[in-house]
Every structure is written in C-alpha cells, then in structure tokens.
Amino acid sequence: MRRALTGALGAAVAATLVTTATPAAAIDDVNTTQLRKAVTVNGILKHARALQVIANQNDGTRASGLPGYEASVDYVTEQLRRSGYSVKKQAFTFSFFRSLSEPTLSQVSPTPTDYETDIYSYSGGGEVTGVVVPANDNVVPATEEPSSTAGCTPGSFDPAPAEDAIALVQRGGCDFAVKVDNAAAAGYDAVIIFNEGNPGRTELSIGTLGDPKDVPVVGLSYADGVALIEQAAAGPVTLSVSTEVETDPNRTTWNVIADLSPKDLKKVKNKDQVVVVGAHLDSVPEGPGINDNGSGSAGILAIAQEMADLKLTKKLARPVRFAFWGAEESGLLGAEHYVASLSDQQRSKIYANLNFDMIGSPNYVRFVYDGDGSSGGPVGPPGSDVIETVFTDYFESQGLASEPTDFDGRSDYGPFIEAGIPAGGLFSGAEGVKTPEQAAVYGGTAGEWYDPCYHQACDDITNLNVKALNELGDAAAHATLTLTKSRSG
C-alpha cells in the first residue's frame, strides 16, 4: 500500500509484458438486483464484528505476522469453505516490523518542547540526542509546482557533524526510504520527516520505509518542521528521539485464495478469463483495522457467500476468484507475492482485478479508481477505463455521485496494473481531508479526514459508516457480478 512495486515481479514484467484479455469497450448490462439485495449491511457487519472479536482476543490488532492475523485467515478460510469454494492459504515470508512503545520527539535546547510524532514502519530503534540539521533542499514555504523533492539525492544533506546529529527532511518527490538512506549515508543518527505543506499534506503524517533501517525515523507536521528550520537558522537546536521496535526479516504470513469449486468451474464458458476480487485482510499493528481493511474484506466475503447461496457461481461466464491479501500494510507484499508467483501463462488468464480497500469510512466519499486517467493521474492498463465506467454508471443509475481517485499504487491493485492487468475498484477515503464541495455532495464534515481513525487504535467496529457500507457494498456486488456474467469481451 505504501510503496512502488519492486523486486522479482518488476523484473519479470520488464522482461515480458503479458498480454491479457481485457474488458470490452461496452460491458453487457447484467441484472444484479438479486445479489445486491442479498448483500446487506448486516451481512457485512457480521463479518466485521467477527474480525473485531479476533482483534479483542489478540492485543487489539490483526497485523500480518501476529496471532490476530492468523486467526483472521482461519475465520475467512472457514467461511469460504462452508460456502463451497476451493480455498488455499498461500504462505510467504516478509520482513515484520512493529513499534513496541510510543515514539518520542522532544527539543532539549534552547526551548524544551515535546512534539506530536509517530514512527515510520521499518524505522530503526534506539535513542538519539543531537543537533538537528535541515536538508539543503527543503521547500519552505511549500510550493505546489514543483513540489518538494527534499532528501532525494545524496547532495540533499551536508555531512553530519562529528557528534550525534538528526536530519530534518521534507516529504515529497521520492520514497521515504530514499530520503532516509541518503541521510544515513551522510552520517546522521536519526531522521525526522515533516509533511510537505500543500493542502492535505500539513498534519503529522507517516508511512513505510519498505525495509528495516538502522536509524530511528519519526514524523512531524509541516508547521512543526518549519518552526524547527527557523530555529536552526538562528542557532543550534538539540533534539531527542526515542523509538523501540521489533523486527523479524523472515516472518511467515498468508494470502487466502478462494476459487470456484471444480464442479462449478466446469460450467464456466471462459475459463481463461478470471476476475480476481481482492481486499487486504491485515490491519496495522496499532489497531484492529475494522475499516482499513475489515470493511473491504467483510464486503467481498459477504459477496462470495451470497453468490454461492444464490447459486450464481453455477451461472458465470467467467471464473471469480476471491483474494484476501496479507502484509498489505507492510508494502502490498501479499498481492505482490501472488502476482509474482504466477507464470506468464497464468498471469495472462487474469481478466481483471477488482480492489476494495476501505468501503466504510465515517466521513466517506464514493471514490472510484480512475482507470482512464481523466483526473490527471496515471492511466490504468487497457480495460481499466471500462471497469471504471461499470462503477460510475452504476452509481449514476442509483442517483449517487462519485468521483475519481488516482491509480497512485497505494493498494493491492498496484502489482496487477504493473503487470498490465486491467483493474478498478472503490475507496471510501483515508487520511485525506474532505473538501467543502465534497461535504455538500456526500454529507459529512468538511476539513476532517475521511477516516479520522485511519491507522489508529480507534479503527474499531464503531468506526464504520453504514451508509457507506450499503452504497459501496452494493456497487462492489454489482461490479463483481457484471464482470463475471457479461458475455462481451
């Protein structure tokens, strides 16, 4: 969710771009009323409550690599097998990380101050007290064009002083890990990354570094970062940073992959056009993850069960495959492992990927992944535009507004589009700030995050918006059945 695709899959795709069947320019109209009526808010909430119970029994978290995630895998596996699917747990190893205590960041001199901070995933552990040194290319005040690229080159940092020193660098322009690596190479003992400063990028914000680092890395708001830069310009400023972490470079976790039963698969006409319907099952270590992404997991689990109960799985034009991804919060690792594990031939048989990462945000917007790039972001692989239209046409038919959200690679569709596979899906919003215009259309509160509990302990069963679950859950059911039953393409 937090980094671009790298490694084995990136190399494989660079060597051979697989040709896949793609959704036709016009998808057949499919009557999805029966399935949409069967996929209810109560049905979705039943699974969300089960995930909450699992978190309650496992220190409040369902993060990959911890017992709460394994219990979530067992729950989903049992539910799918009861519904007649052929289910397998796909094991893989990953670099596990969690923070064992609240990180701290304080100014020792000249003005003792405690700052609001948080830790970056894969930060190193330890306590560092030293002078703060801003990067050479921080952009203060922030400018929209060009945005900051602070810390993205080795020359961004002067060599660290002989004593312990802490680098202060602005968000933007490259992966967080690049900034940290450049700072560490220049001799810094800890790194603070402050937010960029443009609209929606001012509050304290954190992310993942992708792989374990040797130095503590914490976050800071734009305002606090600017204040520190101004203080440092006037004279030495000494800070203290403290982090405590647990890491394991070879922790085992799982994806859950559910296919049609062999009997139902025999009845499918286009067996080589698989629709993969996915959602990540893991939470962050800090909380139970009931919206992120218990909502998406519960939603597609309810769709899978109702399709089986209504015997729709016996009447499909294309196979459906339900996938529950592990270690998404560690960098899309489950989806990346799955796509990389496929042969070229197997990859070519994936007709489309539907991704549902958060469908119950309290202050929600009906976001649709922007397959055609009309909002100015990246364009998805051919066919992604058609998938987008399936969602937007459905919302329009229900008298509901929707708006595009960029294919920015922050969720499990990333490895699929990197492999040239058409993708689409829904998103109800995370740490972005709702605009007054959006509040006028969708309701809710302007100026607040779409999910004020995003990546926090308060992302529990009380953090779900039932209207969002109803509207986005129905849209997910509609798209799933439309792509699997349409005879076109």
Side-chain angles (χ1 to χ4, degrees):
M1 180 178 183
R2 311 298 175 229
R3 64 185 176 89
L5 186 66
T6 58
L9 178 55
V13 173
T16 306
L17 183 61
V18 177
T19 303
T20 66
T22 59
I27 292 287
D28 296 338
D29 288 333
V30 174
N31 187 341
T32 63
T33 303
Q34 184 187 31
L35 179 59
R36 286 187 284 114
K37 285 184 176 179
V39 176
T40 64
V41 170
N42 283 337
I44 296 172
L45 286 175
K46 178 184 75 171
H47 299 309
R49 292 188 191 103
L51 296 176
Q52 178 70 67
V53 169
I54 289 170
N56 293 346
Q57 295 171 342
N58 291 279
D59 298 323
T61 184
R62 299 184 305 100
S64 275
L66 294 175
Y69 182 74
E70 186 169 358
S72 300
V73 166
D74 290 343
Y75 173 78
V76 168
T77 299
E78 180 184 8
Q79 295 291 314
L80 291 163
R81 284 178 176 159
R82 284 182 180 180
S83 292
Y85 291 92
S86 295
V87 186
K88 69 175 181 180
K89 295 192 287 187
Q90 183 185 43
F92 62 97
T93 60
F94 75 111
S95 185
F96 172 80
F97 168 90
R98 68 168 164 169
S99 178
L100 296 176
S101 62
E102 290 293 327
T104 62
L105 173 62
S106 59
Q107 184 175 151
V108 177
S109 65
T111 307
T113 308
D114 291 330
Y115 295 100
E116 180 186 7
T117 192
D118 207 343
I119 192 168
Y120 276 71
S121 295
Y122 297 106
S123 163
E127 185 171 346
V128 176
T129 299
V131 65
V132 64
V133 181
N136 293 322
D137 46 2
N138 292 324
V139 180
V140 175
T143 59
E144 229 176 285
E145 294 293 341
S147 176
S148 171
T149 58
C152 295
T153 64
S156 297
F157 301 96
D158 290 333
E163 68 276 9
D164 286 348
I166 300 169
L168 177 64
V169 62
Q170 190 174 21
R171 175 186 180 184
C174 60
D175 288 349
F176 299 125
V178 173
K179 300 172 186 286
V180 173
D181 288 344
N182 286 333
Y188 289 89
D189 303 285
V191 180
I192 302 167
I193 302 176
F194 69 98
N195 214 343
E196 185 185 45
N198 284 314
R201 288 180 165 226
T202 58
E203 303 300 317
L204 169 66
S205 179
I206 58 170
T208 183
L209 304 174
D211 296 298
K213 302 301 177 185
D214 293 329
V215 300
V217 183
V218 297
L220 201 60
S221 71
Y222 174 74
D224 285 340
V226 171
L228 276 176
I229 289 173
E230 292 173 347
Q231 276 191 286
V237 177
T238 301
L239 300 181
S240 179
V241 178
S242 177
T243 58
E244 183 184 12
V245 304
E246 175 190 359
T247 58
D248 179 354
N250 292 297
R251 188 69 59 93
T252 298
T253 194
W254 301 267
N255 295 323
V256 179
I257 310 295
D259 283 301
L260 295 175
S261 68
K263 185 176 179 181
D264 287 347
L265 185 60
K266 281 184 180 180
K267 300 175 183 178
V268 175
K269 177 183 176 182
N270 300 308
K271 294 181 177 61
D272 291 346
Q273 296 184 7
V274 180
V275 179
V276 178
V277 181
H280 76 86
L281 184 56
D282 61 319
S283 73
V284 292
E286 291 79 10
I290 301 304
N291 184 36
D292 183 18
N293 183 37
S295 61
S297 294
I300 69 168
L301 181 55
I303 292 169
Q305 290 179 319
E306 296 302 337
M307 286 182 68
D309 288 349
L310 296 171
K311 302 190 185 309
L312 295 172
T313 52
K314 304 180 183 301
K315 306 172 184 177
L316 300 179
R318 297 183 181 87
V320 63
R321 176 174 297 151
F322 291 98
F324 299 79
W325 309 117
E328 188 269 359
E329 297 291 3
S330 299
L332 317 183
L333 301 183
E336 181 176 332
H337 174 80
Y338 171 78
V339 176
S341 72
L342 301 175
S343 67
D344 287 349
Q345 184 180 24
Q346 289 170 327
R347 209 172 294 143
S348 72
K349 293 179 181 180
I350 299 179
Y351 180 74
N353 169 236
L354 298 181
N355 187 69
F356 301 103
D357 188 355
M358 303 173 67
I359 61 170
S361 301
N363 199 26
Y364 76 105
V365 166
R366 291 180 287 271
F367 287 117
V368 178
Y369 291 126
D370 186 23
D372 64 5
S374 60
S375 66
V379 178
S384 301
D385 55 339
V386 181
I387 298 171
E388 180 186 7
T389 301
V390 171
F391 286 107
T392 56
D393 284 355
Y394 167 76
F395 282 130
E396 185 177 352
S397 75
Q398 302 299 304
L400 298 172
S402 64
E403 59 186 84
T405 185
D406 287 352
F407 264 143
D408 59 8
R410 287 191 62 191
S411 193
D412 292 298
Y413 61 82
F416 289 88
I417 62 175
E418 194 79 17
I421 296 168
L426 301 174
F427 173 54
S428 55
E431 81 276 36
V433 176
K434 178 171 273 188
T435 66
E437 294 78 12
Q438 290 171 334
V441 173
Y442 303 98
T445 306
E448 291 189 1
W449 284 11
Y450 304 117
D451 181 0
C453 286
Y454 177 65
H455 283 188
Q456 299 173 58
C458 58
D459 184 13
D460 57 23
I461 196 66
T462 67
N463 193 44
L464 296 175
N465 186 313
V466 293
K467 282 188 65 180
L469 291 177
N470 181 44
E471 295 165 0
L472 276 68
D474 278 357
H478 171 79
T480 299
L481 194 59
T482 296
L483 290 183
T484 53
K485 287 201 74 173
S486 172
R487 301 284 172 177
S488 64

